[in-house]
């Protein structure tokens, strides 16, 4: 029978069932011998790939055994095949993503804990540690040995001793099950607009068929509240539901809102989960015990067996595109999952992607609009600050008008937010005396000063060194100067100007974990913080009720992204999302954008809050340029340590591109960041009209290439989002 292994191969292998063993249904996880090892594989429902030639039955190996793991649903098999075909990834790699919870495949050993034996005589040899442990256990609860030892500040040996003495007894800890969210736990009263939106989404779920709805509403319009009703309906109909969020929007705030609506917390799925918890959730989803998952993009690959709804919140977010190993866009794959599983998909955003807008305009998606904020508050008024005429003081980054706005806001007892999408203290460091610039030895990139950590870091490869005292080139002491601002430098300026202010600095490199991030967000929500300074972490999902003023330190930062066809869209989304954080619950929200390009169309659209104008322009530009969604793109990146090798191979790849009247191949060109981690990178871009089978074209091309040997690497990125 055909078995697929989670390795970089595009084929199944044939194995024999042991004599007399019952047949195994497709999706069953099995252990099979593979080379010198044994591995976990999945019984597939047909051969895949180059299994045309019959295998000599004498050479065929026996499958070792089926595993005690819930099988992968057939739909997951089809979904994996679809993704593999579309992204040109070996099927085994896609399946590997579906198995990314190792603990789910380990034998389920019952866990043991200890409980105090009531009325047992006190052991003859009592020590302070023993007394502490027994006192804690006196409540009769079952605790893991390690937990009791930790609580009593004693060694595990002390606990073992008490078991031997008969004062503690070992008992099995029952496996925790998942609470089931109750769709009727809380009923929300909706405004007329919201009620219409709820009706549309609920009908989509009721339809029990494939549909995509774009839920398009300004920040604070109640999108979350509205799509919760769709989740409730899916639950009532006996379906599982998945809510996907960008990783950093997975906040405690969201979870407690879920809890208020449904009476319990959802299962969470993100990269920070401990391995045993991952395993538990994976199994829970597979058995159907988990009813709702709230998760980052990889949650899409969980083994749902009764999925009836996927919500993709902040659907425009770049974080849904994965760019390592398997290159996929999770929002698009959620739509594919909906069409394979014949269920509803909801895409929610205050700034939907151009792709989704076009789909809504052409009627492929339903379009639901929430025009106003629930609180009735107007969107903030946006004022440009033209940096050519209103310059900040020398060595400072905030223009006088913005500083004044911060002061006023603080005096009114409200919060301000300063946004700069740049981590660290300064993006470039140079020597005043000889002009030497600090560059990463492995990348085409400047080193970024992180003053807080006292280091110079490369943001592309992780290279890092302590800030030197003298210039490594000319030897001059104390000659290094920081050029340009990062968030740390803006924070420094704020501290100088407002020494009394309570400040929070939010940057992913300063906050080590999701948990700590949640704590900081909580402090901000409580209104304690007066000035928040942050990178794009602050742009997403949070709701800060007391936030009145938002200042964008450098509004032009995203616009200079050369080859990126989405640069304008992204800048619009980011500026709109960040300024939209202001005044969500009251009337006088204000936004300031510092810019050198106030007349740029994207800037104008933001300042005038004229989304239609922006969309029309952008859509028209994409149509004329045959850019997504009117055309298809794929990027080929060729890299090698040795420059010559990469260069030669890139030209060879270009030469072998199949001829086609309608497909354009651009390049090879040096990637904008030419060297990353010591690898020289060349890019080719393939442009095809929408109706053309770009995968077929790429496959034909790959088949014509010479072997990719040694250090050479070729990656294919269908629908690329990164052009660096
Ligand atoms: P969005 O997801 O569009 O940004 P939210 O769903 O977060 O909007 O709603 C913004 C705020 O308004 C939240 O605090 C939410 O609880 C509140 N809200 C929205 N709609 C309602 C409603 N119908 N009843 C009560 N509160 C609501
Ligand atoms: Zn580097």
């Amino acid at each position: 029978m055909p078995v697929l292994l989670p390795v970089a191969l595009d084929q199944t292998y044939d194995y024999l069932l042991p004599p007399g063993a019952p047949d195994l249904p497709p999706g069953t996880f099995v252990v099979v011998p593979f080379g010198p090892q044994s591995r976990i594989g999945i019984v597939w429902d047909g051969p895949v790939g180059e299994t045309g030639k019959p295998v000599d039955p004498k050479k065929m190996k026996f499958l070792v055994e089926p595993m005690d793991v819930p099988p992968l649903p057939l739909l997951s098999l089809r979904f994996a095949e679809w993704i593999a075909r579309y992204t040109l990834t070996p099927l085994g790699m896609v399946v590997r993503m579906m198995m990314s919870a190792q603990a789910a495949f380990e034998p389920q050993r019952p866990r043991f804990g200890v409980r105090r034996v009531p009325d047992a005589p006190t052991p003859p040899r009592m020590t302070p540690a023993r007394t502490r442990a027994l006192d804690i256990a006196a409540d009769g609860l079952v605790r893991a040995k390690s937990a009791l030892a930790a609580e009593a500040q004693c060694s595990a040996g002390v606990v073992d001793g008490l078991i031997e003495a008969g004062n503690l007894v070992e008992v099995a800890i029952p496996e925790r099950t998942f609470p089931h969210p109750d769709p009727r736990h809380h009923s929300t009263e909706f405004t007329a607009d919201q009620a219409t939106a709820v009706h549309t989404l609920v009908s989509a779920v009721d339809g029990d068929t494939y549909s995509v709805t774009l839920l398009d509403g300004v920040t604070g319009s109640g999108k979350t509240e509205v799509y919760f009703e769709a989740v409730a309906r899916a639950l009532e109909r006996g379906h599982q539901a998945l809510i996907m969020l960008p990783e950093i929007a997975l906040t405690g705030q969201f979870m407690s809102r879920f809890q208020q609506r449904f009476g319990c917390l959802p299962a969470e799925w993100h990269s920070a989960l401990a391995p045993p918890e991952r395993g538990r959730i994976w199994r829970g989803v597979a058995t159907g015990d988990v009813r709702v998952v709230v998760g980052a993009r990889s949650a899409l690959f969980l083994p749902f067996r009764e999925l009836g709804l996927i919500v993709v919140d902040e659907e425009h977010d770049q974080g849904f595109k994965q760019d390592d190993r398997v290159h996929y866009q999770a929002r698009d794959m959620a739509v594919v999952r909906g069409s394979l599983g014949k269920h509803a998909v909801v895409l929610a955003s205050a700034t939907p992607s151009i792709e989704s807008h076009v789909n809504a305009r052409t009627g492929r998606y339903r379009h639901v609009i929430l025009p106003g904020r629930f609180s009735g508050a107007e969107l903030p008024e946006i004022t440009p600050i033209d940096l050519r005429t209103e310059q900040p003081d020398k060595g400072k980054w905030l223009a006088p008008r913005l500083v004044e706005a911060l002061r006023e806001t603080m005096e009114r007892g409200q919060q301000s937010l300063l946004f700069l999408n740049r981590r660290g203290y300064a993006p470039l460091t140079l020597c005043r005396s000889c002009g030497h610039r600090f560059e990463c030895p492995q990348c085409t990139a400047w080193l970024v000063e992180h003053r807080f950590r006292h280091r110079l870091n490369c943001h592309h490869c992780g290279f890092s060194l302590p800030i030197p005292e003298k210039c490594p080139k000319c030897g001059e002491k104390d000659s290094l100067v920081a050029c340009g601002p990062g968030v740390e430098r803006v924070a420094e300026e704020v501290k100088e100007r407002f020494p009394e202010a309570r400040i929070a600095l939010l940057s992913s490199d300063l906050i080590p974990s999701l948990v700590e991030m949640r704590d900081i967000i909580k402090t901000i929500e409580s209104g304690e913080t007066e000035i928040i300074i942050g990178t794009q972490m602050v742009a997403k999902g949070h709701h800060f009720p007391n936030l009145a003023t938002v200042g964008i330190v450098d509004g032009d930062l995203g616009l200079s992204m050369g080859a990126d066809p989405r640069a304008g869209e992204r800048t619009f989304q980011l500026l709109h999302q960040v300024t939209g954080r202001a005044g969500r619950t009251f009337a006088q929200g204000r936004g300031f954008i510092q810019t050198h390009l106030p007349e740029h169309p994207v800037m104008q659209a933001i300042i005038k809050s004229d989304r239609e104008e922006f969309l029309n322009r952008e859509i028209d530009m994409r149509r004329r340029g045959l850019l997504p969604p009117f055309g298809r793109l794929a990027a080929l990146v060729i890299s090698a340590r040795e420059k010559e090798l990469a260069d030669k191979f890139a030209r060879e790849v270009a030469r072998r591109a199949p001829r086609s009247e309608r497909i354009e191949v651009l390049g090879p060109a040096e990637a904008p960041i030419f060297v990353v981690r010591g690898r020289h990178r060349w890019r080719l871009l393939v442009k095809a009209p929408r109706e053309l089978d770009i995968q077929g074209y790429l496959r034909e091309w790959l088949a014509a290439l010479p072997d990719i040997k040694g250090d050479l690497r070729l990656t294919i990125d269908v629908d690329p989002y990164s052009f660096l």
Side-chain angles (χ1 to χ4, degrees), residues 440 442-443 458 460-461 463:
C440 176
Q442 318 184 71
C443 306
C458 171
H460 299 284
C461 71
F463 173 87

Side-chain angles (χ1 to χ4, degrees), residues 82-104:
W82 204 101
I83 295 171
R85 255 199 317 274
Y86 188 86
T87 59
L88 280 95
T89 310
L91 183 57
M93 292 304 283
V94 179
V95 160
R96 205 172 129 137
M97 294 198 300
M98 294 187 165
M99 296 168 61
S100 68
Q102 217 185 353

